[in-house]
Amino acid sequence: MTPGKAGSVRLIDAPQPNASAGQVLLRTSKIGICGTDLEIIQGEYGEAPLGSEYLIFGHECLATVEDAPNNSAGVRKGDLVVPTVRRPDSCLNCQSGESDMCLTGQYKEHGIKGLHGFCSEYSLSDLNYLVPVPAELSDVAVLLEPASVAEKGVFQSFKIQERMMWKPTKALVLGTGPVGLLTVLLLKLRGLDVTAVATRPKDSLKARTVEKIGGTYVNANDQPITSLGKFDLIMEETGVASLAAEAQGLLNNNGVLCLLGIYRPNLATQDIGHSYDDIVLGNKITFGSVNANKRYFLSGIQDFRIIQQKFPGVLNSMFTRRVGPSDYSQAYNPTKDDIKSVIDFDLP
Ligand SMILES: [Zn+2]
C-alpha cells in the first residue's frame, strides 16, 4: 500500500529482492494480520522504505530460509524461521540488543516503518534477527510475534516486582484479541488465577477459549469490571483509555498494571488526586510495554512447547481465517469474532 493513503492496499508484482552481505532471502509461508496492519491500511500509520513509493505489509511471519551467506549464526538454507520485526538504530539500547527499548524512535520495523514486510513470496531480513522454529511448532509459529509482545509485558511485570516480596495470585487481562488470549495462556502457565474481560458474548470463540485455558471470562456488557474485586497483576490490551484508568483502581496493594494498548486522545475528567493517593498508599505501579526483542521470541518458543502439551489445540483454534494471497482482502476485513487471520502462501 501507499502509506498515508487509506484504501490503497493492492496486490502487485514486485521485483524479487537480492540479499546483500549479512542478509538472508526468505520464502514466506504464513503471514498473520493484526490491528497495526489495519491501521496502516486506514492510512493512520506506516512508512515506506527510502526510495519506494509503496510499503509491503506483513510483520507477523513464518518463513523458510531460501538463501543464506556463509555465517557464524548457524543460519542455513531450508531453516524454518520467524524474523523479528524491529531493526536497531545507533542508540545505547538498540546497540545492546534491546531495540524494543529504543531511546530515539529512529528504529525501523519490517512491514510498518521504513522496511518492507514479509507479505510477499520472497523477502529479506538481517540474519541476526531470525528465530529458529522447531518443526513441531510449524503450524502455530506464525503466532510467535504477537506472543513475543505478551512475553515482554509479563516478563517486565514480574521483573519490576522484584522490588519487593511479591506472590501474585489473581490476574486480570483486559481484551481478548490474540495478544490478550496469549497473555491469558502465559499467566496460566505461571499458575495465576486469571480473569479475562471483553465485550463478546459468553458463547463466543474468544470467551470459550479463555474458559478452555482455565480462565474466567467476563462480558463487560453484562458486568462492570469494578464488580470483579482486586487483582495483583493487570494487563490492559484494549487500548481504551477510560478502561485503563479504571483498571488502576482495581489493583491490590503492591500491584502492577501493564499497559499494552495504543490509546487515543481522551479528555476525560477524573479525580486524579484520589488516583495518585491510591498509587502512593498501595505502592502501586503502572507502566507501558511495546514491541519485543529477540529474547522474548525465544521465550515464546519455549512457552509454545509447554502450551501445546498443557492446552493442546488452543493455539490452532485461534486461526479463524486462512486465505491465499489472491484473497488478501478477506484477511484484512476481520469480523469481531475473528481472532487471527492468516495469509497462507501455500494457497493460491
Ligand atoms: Zn534505538
Side-chain angles (χ1 to χ4, degrees):
M1 80 161 292
T2 309
K5 197 173 166 196
S8 63
V9 59
R10 59 201 184 268
L11 192 63
I12 62 164
D13 255 328
Q16 179 164 329
N18 289 311
S20 48
Q23 289 184 316
V24 294
L25 182 67
L26 298 175
R27 185 163 51 78
T28 296
S29 168
K30 292 186 180 75
I31 293 291
I33 313 295
C34 81
T36 302
D37 296 301
L38 304 183
E39 284 177 4
I40 295 172
I41 286 178
Q42 286 157 16
E44 293 170 24
Y45 206 63
E47 184 186 318
L50 202 64
S52 172
E53 57 192 29
Y54 58 82
L55 171 71
I56 297 176
F57 280 149
H59 59 279
E60 298 181 5
C61 172
L62 175 69
T64 305
V65 175
E66 181 75 9
D67 187 24
N70 280 332
N71 63 83
S72 56
V75 179
R76 301 282 176 269
K77 178 178 163 71
D79 286 356
L80 195 62
V81 295
V82 168
T84 67
V85 180
R86 195 176 278 192
R87 297 294 174 267
D89 64 10
S90 59
C91 84
L92 175 69
N93 291 79
C94 281
Q95 290 304 310
S96 308
E98 296 183 344
S99 60
D100 58 317
M101 295 294 198
C102 181
L103 281 165
T104 67
Q106 302 298 308
Y107 57 80
K108 293 180 177 176
E109 289 179 329
H110 280 283
I112 301 172
K113 184 174 182 283
L115 291 172
H116 282 315
F118 309 107
C119 195
S120 51
E121 282 137 312
Y122 295 97
S123 59
L124 298 176
S125 169
D126 184 306
L127 67 82
N128 292 317
Y129 294 88
L130 301 177
V131 180
V133 173
E136 71 265 26
L137 294 180
S138 61
D139 54 343
V140 295
V142 72
L143 288 171
L144 192 59
E145 195 280 335
S148 73
V149 173
E151 288 277 352
K152 178 182 174 182
V154 171
F155 175 88
Q156 294 280 324
S157 299
F158 278 78
K159 188 73 181 167
I160 286 169
Q161 294 300 83
E162 288 177 10
R163 66 197 169 112
M164 66 178 107
M165 175 62 68
W166 191 59
K167 300 275 180 228
T169 57
K170 286 185 70 186
L172 177 66
V173 176
L174 298 172
T176 55
V179 177
L181 291 173
L182 289 161
T183 303
V184 174
L185 279 163
L186 298 185
L187 295 176
K188 288 305 292 180
L189 292 191
R190 282 155 184 77
L192 275 83
D193 173 7
V194 186
T195 300
V197 175
T199 52
R200 306 308 300 152
K202 277 266 191 188
D203 61 353
S204 64
L205 177 60
K206 289 176 178 179
R208 283 185 283 120
T209 303
V210 171
E211 304 271 342
K212 196 171 173 188
I213 303 165
T216 304
Y217 178 81
V218 171
N219 180 352
N221 292 330
D222 299 340
Q223 198 179 345
I225 64 167
T226 46
S227 70
L228 300 176
K230 299 268 184 167
F231 298 89
D232 305 304
L233 169 61
I234 302 179
M235 309 290 290
E236 203 306 298
E237 318 195 354
T238 65
V240 178
S242 56
L243 199 58
E246 206 168 17
Q248 192 170 278
L250 301 183
L251 282 177
N252 259 329
N253 284 346
N254 300 352
V256 56
L257 165 60
C258 173
L259 303 178
L260 286 159
I262 299 296
Y263 301 91
R264 303 273 176 236
N266 183 326
L267 298 177
T269 50
Q270 66 173 123
D271 179 355
I272 56 173
H274 177 264
S275 178
Y276 284 131
D277 220 27
D278 180 55
I279 290 173
V280 170
L281 299 179
N283 291 297
K284 301 177 184 183
I285 280 196
T286 297
F287 80 103
S289 176
V290 70
N291 190 255
N293 66 47
K294 192 173 173 180
R295 185 166 77 229
Y296 302 111
F297 284 74
L298 293 169
S299 53
I301 291 278
Q302 288 178 12
D303 281 336
F304 272 14
R305 284 193 155 119
I306 303 171
I307 290 167
Q308 291 287 72
Q309 286 173 5
K310 280 189 92 164
F311 307 108
V314 166
L315 291 176
N316 265 302
S317 72
M318 289 169 62
F319 300 112
T320 46
R321 197 179 290 244
R322 196 168 73 100
V323 299
S326 55
D327 293 324
Y328 70 92
S329 58
Q330 290 178 40
Y332 293 118
N333 284 296
T335 69
K336 281 193 165 179
D337 285 315
D338 268 319
I339 298 178
K340 179 58 70 183
S341 296
V342 167
I343 297 181
D344 187 334
F345 279 75
D346 294 330
L347 298 173

